[in-house]
Amino acid sequence: DVVYNHTDSTGQKEKSVLDRIVPGYYHRLNASGQIEQTTCTPCGNTATENTMMGKLMIDSVVQWAREYKIDSFRFDLMGHQPRSVMEELQAALKAATGREIALIGEGWNFGEVANGARFVQASQLSLNGSGIGTFSDRARDAIRGGGDLAAEIVRRKGYINGLADLSSGKTGVPDSSVDLLKAADMVRVGLAGSLRDYAMTTYDGSEKKLSQIDYAGQPAGYVSTPAEVVNYVENHDNQTLFDINVYKLAPDTLRADRVRVQMLGVATTMFSQGVAYFHAGVDILRSKSMDRNSYNSGDWFNRLDWTYQDNYFATGLPPEADNGAAYPVIQPLLANSLIKPGPEEIALARDMFLDLLAIRSSSSLFHLRSAAEVQQRLHFENVGPQQNGAVIAAQLDGSNYPDARFTSLMYFINVASEAQTLDIASTRGQDYRLHPVHLSATAADQRIAAEARYEPAQGKFTLPARSAVVFVR
């Protein structure tokens, strides 16, 4: 057995057993011989670039896959490992189990290994072509909005939680705010699987590959196949999506609208090409009472209520160490009785999530297998400088595609707080109708069947406020 940390009888940390086996071998050291701790203090960075540490990891994962039939593995801070070791693991898993084992992880590029300082990393850009998936922050940041400090989080709205309303005129139709249009483009990057060579018309009217679109000094598109990207809007790190929306939405936002905004975030993941990743509880409005770093906060802030009665918002101020500076902003929000959802809203979110999941699983068009297929079959409408920036519109071509089930499919994400209409000339005279899930008597959001419309003579689509709608042909 390997014991990574041991506390002696006096409560003092002893050196790990690994360091006793071969001192300094299993951990990554700096120039002074000290263990690197860039992954998190006081964590010691293990040196998987060293043969036996790499072997320890590979042997462990292979055993879990072979003996316990685990069929995917997620690696924290995978960018701190060499690409070659991850590829060796990939091959070892296939040889040991005879099946494809999905490997995904955080491909962030930082610390002592940043920019290939010690080896070719298993990071976002370096893993291109490997078939190993990394979490994409491109669409995530555009969808949720940015900010680290509380006041900044409130101010920097995301695509689903305020940008469209900031750009809205008296008619409720968003104008051509550059921030809104740029965010819409970055959401499209995610919907197209962050594929390097996928080409689309951007907010300024130019035709660009996703690798030519800038994201914080990096290419927005960075993968070669859909399997290499993990699409998500919420994970265990940082605030939940519900809590982020508490910061960003107006305090008097109706509870039902908070549900709809949450499901707009979910819909962007459901409709994206690549791996769809959902944090536990995103479907039931999970809150951590605004805690931004709950790894050590215990069950009180991390619990889930599977009776669907409580999302645990406003169960107390989160721990001061990581949240104290935000208390002046958090306290009045936690005290606002208009924000906390009840069982009715939690059930609505759950059922809307299940409807979106049923739509995603209804057609292979949401699971295109190659970059070439995505380029051929996914086409964005309502793009360029004259677009309605509050609406994402895309067509998926299902002609002669296995298990597509539909000749074509149109999906829309309307983030505006009012209904919107779009005229799409290419659809005129066609026989689009609402997806069968929307028309079901048990559909969670009955507004869609009642209000969403397609008028074939004009190619006009009407979309309810804050809705994700799919039409099929």
Side-chain angles (χ1 to χ4, degrees):
D1 290 340
V2 175
V3 180
Y4 287 92
N5 290 292
H6 177 69
T7 304
D8 66 18
S9 58
T10 67
Q12 298 298 308
K13 289 282 187 183
E14 292 185 355
K15 284 189 174 182
S16 68
V17 172
L18 287 181
D19 279 338
R20 294 189 200 145
I21 297 171
V22 181
Y25 180 84
Y26 289 86
H27 288 93
R28 189 173 299 133
L29 308 179
N30 61 25
S32 302
Q34 301 299 308
I35 294 175
E36 292 280 11
Q37 296 186 345
T38 55
T39 52
C40 82
T41 304
C43 304
N45 295 0
T46 51
T48 46
E49 66 270 26
N50 292 341
T51 301
M52 295 308 290
M53 184 61 221
K55 175 176 168 54
L56 174 62
M57 183 191 77
I58 292 169
D59 289 352
S60 299
V61 175
V62 167
Q63 180 168 344
W64 294 328
R66 185 179 56 228
E67 303 300 332
Y68 297 99
K69 315 305 180 190
I70 296 172
D71 56 12
S72 66
F73 293 87
R74 180 257 188 209
F75 290 79
D76 201 84
L77 298 181
M78 186 171 62
H80 270 60
Q81 298 194 65
R83 169 175 169 154
S84 60
V85 174
M86 290 301 299
E87 290 183 310
E88 187 179 345
L89 169 61
Q90 193 178 36
L93 285 168
K94 182 67 179 291
T97 66
R99 65 187 194 276
E100 297 292 338
I101 302 288
L103 301 179
I104 64 173
E106 293 178 311
W108 317 134
N109 175 35
F110 69 98
E112 74 281 357
V113 300
N115 302 314
R118 300 203 181 192
F119 43 74
V120 176
Q121 299 158 259
S123 58
Q124 283 180 331
L125 302 187
S126 299
L127 277 173
N128 177 42
S130 67
I132 297 170
T134 57
F135 289 84
S136 176
D137 46 352
R138 276 65 168 162
R140 179 204 69 187
D141 288 351
I143 293 162
R144 293 165 55 112
D148 186 31
L149 301 176
E152 187 183 22
I153 296 175
V154 171
R155 179 178 57 83
R156 292 176 57 188
K157 309 297 186 185
Y159 188 67
I160 64 171
N161 53 29
L163 267 182
D165 291 330
L166 289 177
S167 302
S168 181
K170 292 181 180 179
T171 62
V173 178
D175 63 20
S176 297
S177 160
V178 171
D179 287 344
L180 177 65
L181 301 193
K182 284 184 175 180
D185 274 355
M186 205 57 68
V187 175
R188 294 182 184 101
V189 167
L191 291 165
S194 300
L195 291 162
R196 296 173 59 86
D197 293 332
Y198 183 86
M200 72 176 192
T201 302
T202 59
Y203 76 97
D204 59 2
S206 60
E207 185 82 3
K208 290 182 179 178
K209 292 182 177 180
L210 301 191
S211 60
Q212 297 171 318
I213 298 174
D214 178 71
Y215 170 76
Q218 304 176 75
Y222 68 95
V223 306
S224 292
T225 69
E228 292 176 355
V229 68
V230 181
N231 304 299
Y232 75 115
V233 290
E234 173 188 305
N235 206 344
H236 63 278
D237 287 327
N238 305 314
Q239 297 92 345
T240 66
L241 182 59
F242 182 88
D243 289 346
I244 284 289
N245 289 336
V246 168
Y247 273 124
K248 295 180 186 292
L249 292 171
D252 61 352
T253 300
L254 297 176
R255 293 186 184 94
D257 280 330
R258 292 184 183 276
V259 174
R260 291 170 186 138
V261 171
Q262 181 98 353
M263 290 303 113
L264 289 173
V266 166
T268 61
T269 300
M270 290 286 190
F271 296 164
S272 291
Q273 301 298 325
V275 178
Y277 180 100
F278 300 103
H279 182 222
V282 71
D283 54 331
I284 52 173
L285 309 178
R286 180 182 186 174
S287 171
K288 295 188 287 190
S289 206
M290 308 298 282
D291 194 347
R292 70 185 298 271
N293 189 19
S294 69
Y295 84 98
N296 199 29
S297 298
D299 288 347
W300 188 258
F301 292 99
N302 287 298
R303 55 192 165 159
L304 289 160
D305 179 8
W306 296 117
T307 69
Y308 310 116
Q309 302 303 298
D310 198 338
N311 78 330
Y312 297 122
F313 177 77
T315 56
L317 278 170
E320 186 174 8
D322 287 309
N323 301 281
Y327 278 1
V329 178
I330 291 175
Q331 283 178 308
L333 292 171
L334 293 178
N336 185 343
S337 61
L338 298 174
I339 294 175
K340 186 178 178 69
E344 182 179 352
E345 288 80 31
I346 294 170
L348 175 62
R350 176 199 63 202
D351 294 344
M352 288 178 68
F353 181 94
L354 291 173
D355 284 351
L356 287 167
L357 192 63
I359 288 172
R360 179 176 173 85
S361 63
S362 72
S363 175
S364 59
L365 293 173
F366 291 114
H367 311 268
L368 297 173
R369 297 164 295 187
S370 70
E373 289 180 350
V374 176
Q375 185 66 66
Q376 176 188 354
R377 296 183 179 275
L378 173 63
H379 176 72
F380 291 110
E381 303 281 0
N382 185 43
V383 294
Q386 302 305 315
Q387 68 180 276
N388 177 341
V391 182
I392 301 287
Q395 183 184 62
L396 284 163
D397 177 9
S399 56
N400 301 314
Y401 194 73
D403 300 318
R405 195 177 165 199
F406 308 109
T407 302
S408 66
L409 178 154
M410 292 285 304
Y411 66 76
F412 300 87
I413 300 172
N414 173 23
V415 300
S417 56
E418 297 186 16
Q420 303 292 308
T421 60
L422 285 184
D423 292 345
I424 300 177
S426 63
T427 70
R428 288 174 186 164
Q430 297 182 4
D431 184 26
Y432 278 101
R433 60 193 66 188
L434 282 170
H435 193 286
V437 168
H438 292 317
L439 295 173
S440 168
T442 60
D445 190 352
Q446 291 290 329
R447 297 178 313 144
I448 294 177
E451 301 174 24
R453 296 188 302 277
Y454 164 67
E455 300 170 50
Q458 298 84 27
K460 178 183 288 187
F461 293 86
T462 300
L463 314 163
R466 288 173 168 153
S467 66
V469 184
V470 179
F471 290 84
V472 296
R473 183 165 63 88

